[in-house]
Amino acid sequence: MIETIIFKKKIYAIIIKSNFHKKEINFFTKKNHSLQLGYINYKKNHEIKSHYHPKIKKIIYDTNEVLLIKKGKIRIDFFEKKNKKKYLKSKILKKNDIILIINGGHGFKVIEEVSIVEIKQGPYQLKDDKIQIHSKIKKIELIK
């Protein structure tokens, strides 16, 4: 199953649930997204022709993150894009779920001990690439 988190016509995140399965190549992002997310499933002996990706200068204005939950359970909290302190909703991610975070603010609460693989564009500059938002969530609203 694929879940797209949308607020005010903007995609905030795409979640590939652990039970998702589809044949061939499936990309969930538009061609203009700065980080592409796809799911590939081929049968035995399928071949992908040898290739490489040449260096191309690209300008990236955002930092997207992909998280692969390897173990445990975590809650992701979404915050509005313009007013990043305004809490929107939350979603629970479990083992083998994958999420691409595209827009808005976000935070996490570990529900069960968790192991995560994180992928994002680089180079990463700690001082410039992350701004803390201090927001108190009064009532958690889970997206179903």
Side-chain angles (χ1 to χ4, degrees):
M1 177 166 79
I2 301 297
E3 296 180 43
T4 304
I5 310 302
I6 299 173
F7 295 106
K8 295 185 179 177
K9 299 182 182 179
K10 287 274 186 191
I11 297 175
Y12 274 55
I14 298 169
I15 300 171
I16 303 174
K17 298 300 285 179
S18 62
N19 62 353
F20 179 82
H21 182 80
K22 205 168 184 184
K23 294 180 181 180
E24 301 289 321
I25 299 175
N26 297 274
F27 272 86
F28 311 110
T29 48
K30 295 178 182 177
K31 290 183 179 184
N32 65 343
H33 281 162
S34 62
L35 192 61
Q36 299 293 304
L37 178 64
Y39 179 91
I40 301 171
N41 185 21
Y42 292 126
K43 292 184 178 182
K44 183 178 177 177
N45 295 323
H46 178 87
E47 288 189 39
I48 298 171
K49 293 186 181 198
S50 300
H51 64 284
Y52 71 97
H53 301 273
K55 287 186 176 184
I56 298 173
K57 185 175 182 176
K58 298 178 182 184
I59 298 172
I60 299 173
Y61 292 106
D62 54 7
T63 300
N64 295 169
E65 300 176 57
V66 173
L67 304 176
L68 166 58
I69 311 304
K70 296 290 290 176
K71 173 181 118 175
K73 190 187 290 186
I74 193 166
R75 185 187 79 220
I76 180 169
D77 303 318
F78 295 99
F79 297 86
E80 191 173 353
K81 184 178 173 105
K82 287 184 181 176
N83 178 4
K84 291 173 178 59
K85 291 184 178 186
K86 184 179 178 191
Y87 168 73
L88 295 171
K89 295 191 181 212
S90 300
K91 184 71 185 167
I92 302 294
L93 302 173
K94 300 175 186 171
K95 179 180 177 181
N96 293 326
D97 287 346
I98 300 168
I99 185 169
L100 168 60
I101 304 166
I102 299 171
N103 272 308
H106 56 276
F108 302 94
K109 173 75 175 180
V110 175
I111 297 169
E112 293 176 4
E113 183 177 337
V114 71
S115 295
I116 301 171
V117 174
E118 180 178 7
I119 303 161
K120 62 184 163 195
Q121 298 105 324
Y124 185 74
Q125 299 175 18
L126 185 61
K127 289 183 181 180
D128 296 329
D129 283 346
K130 184 185 270 188
I131 297 172
Q132 296 289 325
I133 56 176
H134 302 286
S135 179
K136 302 254 184 205
I137 301 173
K138 295 176 185 167
K139 180 182 175 192
I140 302 297
E141 186 177 338
L142 288 176
I143 300 169
K144 296 188 183 196

